[in-house]
Amino acid sequence: MIELTNIEKSFPVRGRVLDDLGFSAAEGSSTAITGPSGSGKTTLLNIIGALEKPDGGRVLFRGDDITNLEPDEAARFRNRNIGYIFQNHLLLPHLNIRENIMLPLLASRHRWGSDREIADYIGLLASETGIEGVMEKYPFHISGGEAQRAAFVRALANRPALLLADEPTGSLDRNNAVLLAELLLKLNSDYGTTLIVVTHTDYVGEMMGRQLELVNGKLTSPQ
Amino acid sequence: MIPSKRDIIIRSLRHHRGTLFSLSLTALLVTAVITASVLAGYSVRQTLYSKTAERLDGGAVLASSGLRFTELQLARDLQEILGVEAVPMLSLNGYAGKFETGTRAMDVNIWGVERLADMPERGEAVINRRLAEALAIEEDQFLILRFTPPSDLPSNTPFSPEKGEEGSLFLRVKRVADTVPYANFNLSVSQIIPYNIFVNLEEFGEFFPDGPKINRIVVAEHEAATADEVRRAVAALSQPGSIGLRIRPVGATGGYEVISDRVFIDSHIVSSVTSAIGTASPVLTWLANRVESDSGSTPYSFIAAVSGSSGITEPYDMVINSWMADDLQVGVDDSVTVAYYVTGRGNELVERSAHFRVSAVVPLEGVWRDSLLMPEFPGIAGARSCTEWDAGVPLDLDAIRDKDEDYWYDFGGTPKGFISYETGMGLWGNQFGPATAIRFDSHAGAAELKDDLESVADIRGYGIAVTDLLAEGVRAARGGVDFSMLFLALSIFIIASSLIMTVMIVQNHMLQRQGEVRTLSALGFNRRTIVLLFTGESAVPLAAGVLVGAAAGMLFNRVLIAALNSVWSGAVQTDTLVAHAAPLPVVAAMLPAAALALLTVVVTVRRFLAGSTLHIRPGMSGPKALPRWLLPLAAMVSVALFLAPVVTDADVTLMQFAGGAVAMIFLLLLLHAALMRGVAGRYWAFFPGRGVTPATFIAAGLFVVIATGVNRRDFSREADRRDGGTGGFTHWIETTIPVEENLNNEAVQRRRGIYADDGLLFMAMPRVDGDDASCLNLHQIATPHILGVDGELLSQRQSFSFATRMRGAPDRDIWSLLEQPAGENAIYGVLDQTVMQWGMMIKAGDTVTVTSESGEPLHVIVAGGLRSSVFQGHMLVDASHLARWFPSVAGSSVLLAESGSGDHREVAEMLSSSLDPFGPVIESTPSRLEAFYSVNNTYLSVFLLLGGIGMVLGVVGQGLNVRRGIEHRKREYALMVAAGFRLKTIRRMVMREQIFIVAAGVATGVLSAAAASAAGLIRGGELPLGLIALLVLLMVVAGVASLLLSLRTISREELTAALRGQ
C-alpha cells in the first residue's frame, strides 16, 4: 500500500536524519517503528502522511506518487486516506468530543456514506472504545485516556486506509496503553486499516505484526 | 451532526473570548483614531462652508470694479433687469480709533451702504462685535474713521494734485451688530472674522464730483442670477459712464471727443474704440516744464500729440502756434527742446528732454485754438492763474511771467505745440493709458456717438469683474487644509502601535494554539480553511471594536475640535470651529479601519502558519549571528554622513539626520550583539527579533518625535541673516493708508521724524489686495495678495533664499528674472514655498492667473518658491509690473525696514509714531515668522503629543511581547524551577532583560535623535526636554506595569502545566 524508496531528509542543524531509506507496508499490515530519540521517526511518519516532503526519493501510495503534492492536494489526500493519532490528543478545547470526532468530515466535502451511516459508525467506534458516555463533554472535562481514545476515534472518522500513530500511548499509563494498542490492532483486523505506529514502548511494539528500528537514517529489523 | 465552519468559529469565539476581547480593544483604538481624524477634517470643512454662507450674508455673485469706481445706477439697473436684489457697496480699507481713548483698530473693512437693516444715518456707524471689542467701544460712543479718500483719479496719476489729508469721518456708534448675518460680512476668503464698519454711502459723496460712487455690487442668491447671467447683464447695461467715459462736443473742430474721469484712457479702450469706429483718433496731451530755443524759453506749456495733423511729416516735427513762435523767436526749420517730467522707478519724478524741428507755425485760431485738448487735471483745470496750479510736480513759480498768465487767461490750456501721436506715445505713454482723449472728427451727434460706443463689444462691462462668490467660497473651503489627512499623519504612531499590538495578540494567540493548527492540518484542513477559521473568530470582536471605536471616534473628534479652538488655535486662527458628524464620513472611516484591522489579523495568521510549518515544531534554524563587518560599517557610514557637509556642499540638516538614523542602526546592532552574550544570550541568539524589535520600535519612535520636536523653530536669532526668512530686514510694516513718500529720502525722514542711530533702510512695496494665502488661512487660495518688490535691491542684498525654482530659472538670482516680461499678459512672480505647496497646491513653473485692474487676465509664472519668509501669504512681482497692470495702486502699504543696530523695539516705537497718520502696524520680522510658524509649531506639538501616546501604547504592547516570550520559554523556566531556581529569580531575570531592552531602546532613540538634530539645535531649535522626560517616564511606567502583569503568568501552576505539555 505504501512504498518509500531512497528517501533522504536533512535538517540544517541536525543534519541528515533519513539516509537512502526504503520502506513498504502491505494493505492491512501493522508495523511498529522504534528507534532512539531524534532518530527521525516522527519525520518518517510525517513523510508517509504527506505532512512533510522528503529532500529526495519517492513515496507511493497505492501506486500513486505523493512525494511532491501541492499543499491543498496533500490536505485532500490526508483527509481521505490518512488517520493521524498524536502523543498528545490535540482535541480542540472549544468543541465537545462528538464534534471533535466529526472534525475530519468537515475538512472536505467528501462523505463516505450518508449522515445516518456515519453516525452509526461513529457510535459503534465510541462504544468499542468506551467513550460513548463522554461524547457531549468537553476535552477539559475528561481524563487523558478518554481523550486519547477520542482522538483515536477521530482518526478513524473518515475510514482512512492508513492509520499513523506517533507515540499514541506515550502519555498513558500501562493499562490504557495496552487498551489503546489492542484497539489499534482490532481496527487493523476488523477493517483492514493499515497501521504504522511509532513507539518507544516495547510491549506495544511487540503487539504489532512487524517491528522495524530506525537507526542512522535507515530502517532495519531490530536485533 | 457534523459541525460547520460557522459552528467551529462560534465555539472558538466563546472559548477564547478573553484573548479575542483584546483584539476588540486594538480595533477600537484604530477605528477611534481614524474616525476622529476623518471627522476632524469633515468638521473643519463643514465649518468653513457654513462660515462662507455666514460671511456672504445671502450674497452669491459679486460684480466688482476692483480698484476703480462705478456709478450707483448700475446696481439699480442690475437689480431691475435681474429681478434679484443687487446691493451696491463702496468697499474701502481704513483704521478706526475710539474718540475718548484713542484706542485703535487697524485694517478695518469700511462698507458704504445705502440699505441695511438698521441703516446708519450720516454721522452714524454700525460696527461688528469684533471691532467693538478691539476698540472697547459701546453704542452711542464715538469713533474716528480714517481712510484713503476714494477718487476716480488715482493719486499717482501724472499731474494729479498733491496728496491731501486722508479721509476721515467722525461717527457715533449706532449699533454693535453681533447676531445679524451681515455683522461679519466679508468678501475675502478667510475664516478670520474681520473688523467691519457700515457707514451711510452718502458720507462719501464729497469725494466724487457727481455724488457717491460704488465699487462692489453683491447680487443675492437666486437661480436666475448666476454669475454668467450677471456678467451678461453687466455687459448689456454698460454705458460709457459706467466706465468713467464722457462724451462732449469740441467747439474748435465741430466734432466730439470722449474723455475719462481718470484723465488717461486705458489702452484697451483706446485700441477697441479706434478699431471699431473709423473716425476715432487718440490724443495725448502733456505738460512740458519748458520749451526752449536758442533765443528763449517758454515755461509750463501744454503740448498735444495728435494724429493726422497737417504740418507734421516727420516723427520729431512740431507745429507751434504763433504765440510760442514769437516767444521763442523761432520759425520753420528752427529747433526747439521740450523738457518734461515722467515717473521713474519708485514713482520718482525724472526730467527728460526731446528735440524737435519746427515744421510749421500756425495762427491761434480755428482748430489750433482748442483749450479742450488740455485734460481736466483736477489741480489745473479751473485754476484762475498759473500760480494756482497744483500739478503734482514741482513748479518754479518764479519762471511764470505775466505773459504766461495772460495766455492762461485768454486761451486756457490751449496747447502751444503739436507733435505726432506716435511720438507723444513714445515720450509720455504711461501705465494709466496712452491717451487723454479720443476724438471723432465727424458724427451725427452725441447720441449717435454714444450708441456707437455702446456697440463696441470689447468695452462692454469693461473693468467690472463678476465672481461666483458661493462657488469660489465652497471651492476654497473644499480645497483647504485637509485636517483629516493631517490628523491621520499625526496619529500614525497610535495607529501603528495599535496594529503592532494586534499582531502581537494574534501571534500570542496562535502560539498557544499551535497544537490545534497541527491537528487541523493533519486532519486534512487546507491552509486557506485554517486561516478562515482563525480569522473568522476574530471578525466578531473586530467588528465590535470597530463599532464602539466609531462612537469613540465621534467623541474624540469633539475633543480634537475643542483643542483646535483652544490650546491648538495657533493652527487655525479661529475659535469657532464646530464639531460635525455624519453617517457618510463615519462609515468612510470605519471601513478602512475594519479592513486594516482584519488585514492585519489575516496577514499575521498566514505568516504564522507559513512559519510554523504546520505539522511539526516551529522551525529552528540555529543561532542568528550578525556578520562581523556590519557593526564597523554602520559606524563608518554614520561618521561619514556627519562629516559630509564639512567636505562637500551637502545639506547639513539632511546629512545629520541621515547620520543620526544610521547611528541609531549602529546602536541597535550593538544591542543585538550585547543580547547574545552570556547564558541568557542563547535564547536571544535564536530569537534576536524578540529583543531587538521592541527596542527598534521605541528607538525609532523617539528618534522621529525628538527630531521633529527640534524643528519647532525659534526665529529670534534669524534677524541678522540676509539669506534667512527675514532677508536681513528687522521690521515688517503694514499701513492702512498707503505711503506715497520715499522714506529713504533724508528730507522726508526729517519731516516725518524718522531717525535711527545707524541708519534705516526701507523697501516700499505697493500691494494689490487679494486673499491671505498664508498658512493662517485654512482655505485654498487662488488669488493671493500681490506685492511689488524692488528685485534689483533684493538681488544686490542677496536677501532671502529659494527652496525651489522653475526650470530654466537663473542658477543664482531669481530676483533679476522678475523684471523681465514673460510673454503676452504674463510676468514672473515668486511665492513662499510653504504657501505654494500646501496652500495653493502649485509648484515652481506653474501659472497663477489674476485679474488685472482693467479686467484683463494677468498670468504670473511662478519662478521660484521662497524658503520660509516674512512674505508668506503674498505673491511677489516686480514693482514696475505691478504699476503697469494695477496703475491705480498709489503708494505702498507694506514696507520692510532694516535698522543697522540698536534696540529694535525702540525703532518700532519711533516708526509707529512717525507713520501714525498712515495707520501702521509694525512687527519685528522674527515675530512675523514666529506667527507663521505658530501653525507649524502647533502641528508639531500635536504630533509630539499623539506620537507620544503612540509610543506609550507601543510600550504597553511590549508587555504583550514579553508575554509571548514567556509563553515560548515556559518549559525552559519550568526546567529551571525543576533544577532548583526560585520563581523570584526567574521573574527578576525576565524583568532585567526587558528593562534592559526598553532602556536600550530609549537611550538609542534619544542619543541618535540628539545627534541628528544638531543642525536644528544650532539654528535655534530646542530639544523638547520636558516632553522627552515625560515621554520616557510614561513609557517606563507603562512598560513596567505591563511587564509586571505579564510576569504574573510565571507561576508554579503554569510552569508545571507547561512541563506536562498541556
Side-chain angles (χ1 to χ4, degrees):
Chain A
M1 145 179 267
I2 187 90
E3 189 178 343
L4 279 64
T5 50
N6 306 119
I7 296 298
E8 305 274 344
K9 184 69 179 179
S10 300
F11 292 101
V13 174
R14 289 170 64 190
R16 187 174 293 187
V17 294
L18 300 177
D19 182 12
D20 192 25
L21 182 142
F23 170 76
S24 65
E27 293 270 0
S29 63
S30 62
T31 309
I33 298 177
T34 60
S37 288
S39 59
K41 302 187 296 296
T42 301
T43 303
L44 175 60
L45 218 62
N46 287 343
I47 288 174
I48 293 172
L51 275 172
E52 272 187 76
K53 288 182 187 174
D55 295 335
R58 214 160 61 142
V59 181
L60 296 178
F61 181 86
R62 286 179 171 168
D64 294 330
D65 190 339
I66 63 164
T67 317
N68 290 303
L69 290 178
E70 291 300 321
D72 281 359
E73 285 176 325
R76 256 195 310 277
F77 167 77
R78 282 194 298 278
N79 183 249
R80 291 187 189 188
N81 298 290
I82 309 288
Y84 228 114
I85 306 173
F86 302 100
Q87 178 176 357
N88 297 314
H89 53 82
L90 296 182
L91 295 175
L92 271 58
H94 47 277
L95 302 177
N96 65 27
I97 300 304
R98 185 185 303 280
E99 289 160 343
N100 265 289
I101 289 170
M102 295 293 191
L103 210 51
L105 293 151
L106 173 63
S108 76
R109 292 196 184 121
H110 168 69
R111 297 281 184 271
W112 54 262
S114 67
D115 284 357
R116 185 82 220 169
E117 287 172 322
I118 292 170
D120 288 345
Y121 172 69
I122 298 299
L124 181 62
L125 286 176
S127 173
E128 286 186 357
T129 52
I131 61 168
E132 72 274 23
V134 300
M135 292 292 273
E136 309 309 320
K137 291 191 176 176
Y138 284 85
F140 42 85
H141 287 150
I142 61 178
S143 71
E146 287 169 329
Q148 195 64 335
R149 278 177 272 148
F152 170 74
V153 173
R154 180 180 66 187
L156 298 174
N158 247 349
R159 299 210 309 194
L162 174 62
L163 191 66
L164 302 175
D166 190 357
E167 299 278 4
T169 62
S171 56
L172 300 177
D173 56 64
R174 188 187 169 104
N175 285 343
N176 277 310
V178 169
L179 181 62
L180 190 69
E182 286 172 351
L183 279 172
L184 286 171
L185 286 168
K186 187 173 187 307
L187 170 72
N188 173 245
S189 71
D190 289 353
Y191 295 100
T193 308
T194 307
L195 187 61
I196 300 174
V197 179
V198 163
T199 183
H200 275 132
T201 313
D202 292 337
Y203 53 86
V204 170
E206 287 162 3
M207 291 165 75
M208 300 298 139
R210 178 173 63 148
Q211 285 185 71
L212 294 171
E213 191 176 4
L214 182 57
V215 177
N216 296 327
K218 288 183 169 53
L219 281 170
T220 58
S221 298
Q223 298 297 324
Chain B
M1 188 184 66
I2 301 168
S4 65
K5 293 190 187 87
R6 196 182 62 152
D7 293 333
I8 295 176
I9 289 172
I10 291 170
R11 295 296 180 79
S12 181
L13 180 58
R14 271 196 219 133
H15 187 79
H16 297 103
R17 59 185 176 275
T19 307
L20 296 171
F21 172 70
S22 46
L23 279 183
S24 291
L25 292 178
T26 61
L28 189 157
L29 206 50
V30 170
T31 309
V33 168
I34 294 178
T35 304
S37 300
V38 168
L39 285 179
Y42 179 75
S43 297
V44 170
R45 261 193 313 281
Q46 290 303 117
T47 303
L48 293 183
Y49 291 149
S50 65
K51 283 207 175 304
T52 297
E54 194 182 291
R55 69 176 169 81
L56 294 178
D57 185 27
V61 178
L62 173 70
S64 169
S65 58
L67 295 167
R68 303 183 183 189
F69 304 93
T70 190
E71 294 171 332
L72 190 52
Q73 189 61 38
L74 179 62
R76 295 183 179 128
D77 292 342
L78 204 55
Q79 178 160 315
E80 196 179 319
I81 202 175
L82 290 172
V84 175
E85 188 181 17
V87 178
M89 308 180 92
L90 176 65
S91 169
L92 299 173
N93 192 249
Y95 64 94
K98 183 177 179 181
F99 179 65
E100 285 93 348
T101 61
T103 308
R104 280 188 180 182
M106 303 300 182
D107 202 22
V108 175
N109 285 351
I110 304 170
W111 304 103
V113 293
E114 66 164 15
R115 38 188 146 125
L116 193 75
D118 210 1
M119 177 71 186
E121 298 298 326
R122 289 197 68 163
E124 294 177 337
V126 172
I127 64 176
N128 69 349
R129 175 60 60 188
R130 189 167 175 239
L131 180 56
E133 284 174 356
L135 294 177
I137 201 169
E138 295 169 357
E139 290 173 7
D140 289 326
Q141 291 185 322
F142 291 89
L143 59 84
I144 297 177
L145 188 63
R146 298 193 198 277
F147 48 91
T148 304
S151 170
D152 281 320
L153 189 70
S155 60
N156 55 345
T157 306
F159 310 116
S160 63
E162 285 286 335
K163 190 169 155 54
E165 295 292 318
E166 70 265 10
S168 67
L169 291 171
F170 183 77
L171 302 164
R172 180 182 69 86
V173 177
K174 179 181 182 181
R175 182 171 171 190
V176 176
D178 53 359
T179 54
V180 292
Y182 66 78
N184 298 325
F185 182 74
N186 191 3
L187 293 174
S188 294
V189 178
S190 173
Q191 76 279 8
I192 300 173
I193 296 174
Y195 294 137
N196 272 344
I197 185 167
F198 298 88
V199 178
N200 195 303
L201 186 61
E202 290 297 323
E203 298 277 10
F204 303 97
E206 67 180 271
F207 301 106
F208 299 98
D210 298 319
K213 285 193 170 182
I214 58 172
N215 55 9
R216 307 281 186 268
I217 304 171
V218 179
V219 180
E221 189 180 358
H222 194 277
E223 59 187 10
T226 62
D228 286 337
E229 284 297 325
V230 172
R231 206 170 280 119
R232 273 192 285 272
V234 165
L237 289 168
S238 187
Q239 298 179 14
S242 312
I243 52 177
L245 299 179
R246 282 182 286 137
I247 300 169
R248 65 180 180 183
V250 179
T253 62
Y256 290 88
E257 70 173 4
V258 166
I259 59 172
S260 169
D261 294 342
R262 292 168 56 83
V263 176
F264 293 87
I265 304 174
D266 285 6
S267 61
H268 177 78
I269 294 175
V270 171
S271 59
S272 298
V273 170
T274 52
S275 299
I277 303 175
T279 56
S281 61
V283 172
L284 179 62
T285 304
W286 206 256
L287 175 64
N289 296 342
R290 56 192 176 279
V291 181
E292 294 171 320
S293 69
D294 292 338
S295 315
S297 174
T298 305
Y300 303 120
S301 307
F302 286 96
I303 309 294
V306 297
S307 303
S309 180
S310 62
I312 300 173
T313 53
E314 296 293 328
Y316 282 88
D317 280 354
M318 180 185 283
V319 172
I320 62 173
N321 66 19
S322 53
W323 191 99
M324 180 175 267
D326 286 340
D327 193 39
L328 292 178
Q329 294 293 298
V330 293
V332 173
D333 287 333
D334 285 337
S335 297
V336 294
T337 302
V338 176
Y340 56 92
Y341 278 129
V342 291
T343 307
R345 199 171 179 83
N347 272 345
E348 298 274 319
L349 282 176
V350 177
E351 187 176 88
R352 295 209 180 120
S353 58
H355 307 288
F356 294 88
R357 178 186 78 92
V358 177
S359 58
V361 176
V362 295
L364 244 181
E365 60 188 28
V367 299
W368 306 110
R369 182 177 170 167
D370 185 352
S371 63
L372 289 185
L373 281 171
M374 183 199 83
E376 291 193 349
F377 296 117
I380 300 176
R384 287 172 302 183
S385 68
C386 298
T387 51
E388 279 186 14
W389 286 3
D390 181 0
V393 296
L395 290 178
D396 180 5
L397 297 179
D398 291 337
I400 298 174
R401 305 157 300 181
D402 289 343
K403 62 192 301 191
D404 298 313
E405 293 285 9
D406 291 340
Y407 186 95
W408 174 255
Y409 185 80
D410 291 332
F411 306 108
T414 301
K416 297 182 182 116
F418 300 84
I419 61 175
S420 76
Y421 177 73
E422 287 71 29
T423 302
M425 260 279 291
L427 299 177
W428 305 319
N430 59 81
Q431 68 265 32
F432 293 94
T436 49
I438 303 173
R439 288 226 161 162
F440 303 84
D441 287 342
S442 59
H443 244 89
E448 189 193 316
L449 179 58
K450 183 170 178 288
D451 289 341
D452 285 347
L453 282 174
E454 285 174 4
S455 71
V456 178
D458 285 352
I459 66 171
R460 272 199 243 125
Y462 182 78
I464 307 283
V466 176
T467 312
D468 188 331
L469 292 171
L470 273 180
E472 182 199 54
V474 166
R475 181 204 54 76
R478 184 180 301 134
V481 179
D482 187 346
F483 276 83
S484 297
M485 291 311 297
L486 189 68
F487 275 109
L488 275 174
L490 296 176
S491 309
I492 196 72
F493 271 113
I494 298 180
I495 296 171
S497 298
S498 304
L499 292 177
I500 289 171
M501 274 203 289
T502 304
V503 169
M504 286 182 181
I505 290 167
V506 172
Q507 283 180 338
N508 250 5
H509 190 56
M510 296 299 293
L511 203 62
Q512 289 172 352
R513 296 173 68 182
Q514 279 189 95
E516 278 181 51
V517 172
R518 192 172 162 202
T519 302
L520 291 171
S521 180
L523 293 178
F525 285 81
N526 60 25
R527 191 166 288 182
R528 196 156 49 94
T529 306
I530 297 175
V531 170
L532 176 68
L533 290 173
F534 279 97
T535 55
E537 68 191 31
S538 305
V540 171
L542 285 180
V546 166
L547 281 170
V548 177
M554 287 194 266
L555 280 173
F556 188 32
N557 171 50
R558 289 182 173 273
V559 172
L560 285 180
I561 297 300
L564 284 172
N565 280 337
S566 54
V567 291
W568 295 339
S569 62
V572 296
Q573 299 296 311
T574 183
D575 58 359
T576 57
L577 295 176
V578 177
H580 288 266
L584 195 57
V586 172
V587 170
M590 284 168 67
L591 287 178
L596 204 54
L598 192 61
L599 190 66
T600 304
V601 170
V602 169
V603 169
T604 309
V605 169
R606 286 176 65 103
R607 290 193 64 180
F608 182 88
L609 292 181
S612 71
T613 65
L614 294 181
H615 13 280
I616 45 174
R617 55 216 155 256
M620 287 180 57
S621 53
K624 300 177 180 72
L626 288 174
R628 285 173 175 270
W629 47 264
L630 203 53
L631 211 56
L633 177 67
M636 284 194 309
V637 168
S638 179
V639 169
L641 287 167
F642 278 116
L643 289 178
V646 176
V647 294
T648 68
D649 282 339
D651 182 72
V652 170
T653 308
L654 191 62
M655 288 297 115
Q656 287 195 337
F657 192 86
V662 176
M664 182 178 67
I665 294 170
F666 168 76
L667 290 170
L668 289 169
L669 290 172
L670 212 55
L671 171 66
H672 184 280
L675 281 176
M676 287 177 47
R677 293 171 61 175
V679 173
R682 287 293 170 264
Y683 174 77
W684 302 115
F686 279 83
F687 303 101
R690 292 183 184 170
V692 177
T693 304
T696 304
F697 180 80
I698 292 168
L702 274 174
F703 180 86
V704 170
V705 165
I706 293 171
T708 304
V710 169
N711 276 309
R712 289 171 58 91
R713 296 179 63 181
D714 173 9
F715 290 93
S716 59
R717 302 181 205 186
E718 284 217 17
D720 299 332
R721 287 182 45 198
R722 286 197 173 182
D723 65 339
T726 65
F729 293 98
T730 53
H731 296 86
W732 172 275
I733 305 163
E734 287 192 36
T735 60
T736 309
I737 313 282
V739 177
E740 295 190 42
E741 298 169 308
N742 179 2
L743 296 182
N744 288 317
N745 183 290
E746 281 182 24
V748 170
Q749 288 187 359
R750 273 196 302 275
R751 191 168 66 249
R752 289 274 168 209
I754 297 172
Y755 60 89
D757 291 338
D758 289 289
L760 205 54
L761 171 72
F762 291 92
M763 184 172 80
M765 296 171 284
R767 180 164 79 181
V768 175
D769 285 334
D771 293 317
D772 179 14
S774 75
C775 52
L776 301 174
N777 192 348
L778 297 178
H779 297 80
Q780 182 186 14
I781 298 306
T783 50
H785 299 310
I786 305 175
L787 278 184
V789 297
D790 185 344
E792 200 180 313
L793 175 65
L794 291 173
S795 179
Q796 280 167 8
R797 289 169 56 90
Q798 294 190 9
S799 286
F800 307 99
S801 56
F802 289 89
T804 58
R805 48 187 74 220
M806 70 173 203
R807 265 194 219 155
D811 274 346
R812 296 198 68 80
D813 187 14
I814 286 187
W815 295 120
S816 59
L817 185 61
L818 296 191
E819 232 185 331
Q820 297 170 31
E824 192 178 329
N825 279 35
I827 59 176
Y828 290 107
V830 150
L831 279 160
D832 189 275
Q833 179 63 28
T834 310
V835 167
M836 272 168 56
Q837 194 168 343
W838 304 108
M840 300 178 68
M841 317 289 187
I842 59 173
K843 57 186 188 311
D846 287 349
T847 300
V848 176
T849 300
V850 298
T851 306
S852 67
E853 184 178 317
S854 64
E856 289 175 85
L858 174 62
H859 308 291
V860 182
I861 300 171
V862 182
L866 280 170
R867 284 190 209 283
S868 309
S869 75
V870 289
F871 290 122
Q872 196 182 110
H874 295 83
M875 182 161 63
L876 310 184
V877 302
D878 193 84
S880 62
H881 289 309
L882 189 136
R884 187 190 153 199
W885 291 98
F886 300 92
S888 295
V889 175
S892 302
S893 54
V894 179
L895 302 102
L896 277 169
E898 180 186 10
S899 82
S901 63
D903 189 339
H904 294 328
R905 211 167 292 158
E906 259 185 36
V907 171
E909 280 172 14
M910 177 272 295
L911 287 173
S912 189
S913 169
S914 312
L915 301 175
D916 183 71
F918 301 100
V921 175
I922 299 171
E923 55 181 332
S924 73
T925 45
S927 299
R928 183 172 170 82
L929 278 180
E930 196 77 52
F932 293 135
Y933 271 79
S934 69
V935 175
N936 216 41
N937 285 343
T938 303
Y939 291 152
L940 289 175
S941 298
V942 175
F943 178 68
L944 291 178
L945 175 68
L946 296 178
I949 293 172
M951 295 293 306
V952 169
L953 282 174
V955 170
V956 169
Q958 165 62 359
L960 288 171
N961 194 42
V962 170
R963 176 83 189 262
R964 185 173 68 141
I966 290 170
E967 281 300 317
H968 197 245
R969 298 171 77 178
K970 255 190 184 158
R971 291 194 181 185
E972 183 186 328
Y973 299 144
L975 281 168
M976 289 167 75
V977 167
F981 279 81
R982 292 187 300 166
L983 273 179
K984 208 191 299 186
T985 308
I986 296 171
R987 288 194 189 119
R988 215 180 288 147
M989 184 187 81
V990 172
M991 188 123 178
R992 262 204 311 269
E993 280 174 358
Q994 298 305 322
I995 287 175
F996 173 71
I997 289 168
V998 171
V1002 169
T1004 300
V1006 172
L1007 287 174
S1008 52
S1013 311
L1017 289 169
I1018 290 165
R1019 243 198 347 256
E1022 292 170 355
L1023 268 179
L1025 291 171
L1027 183 68
I1028 294 170
L1030 181 65
L1031 261 181
V1032 170
L1033 180 66
L1034 283 172
M1035 283 197 296
V1036 166
V1037 167
V1040 168
S1042 66
L1043 180 60
L1044 288 173
L1045 278 171
S1046 299
L1047 287 177
R1048 285 174 60 182
T1049 62
I1050 304 181
S1051 66
R1052 197 166 296 281
E1053 296 75 21
E1054 297 257 357
L1055 293 182
T1056 312
L1059 266 181
R1060 238 189 267 123
Q1062 291 176 2

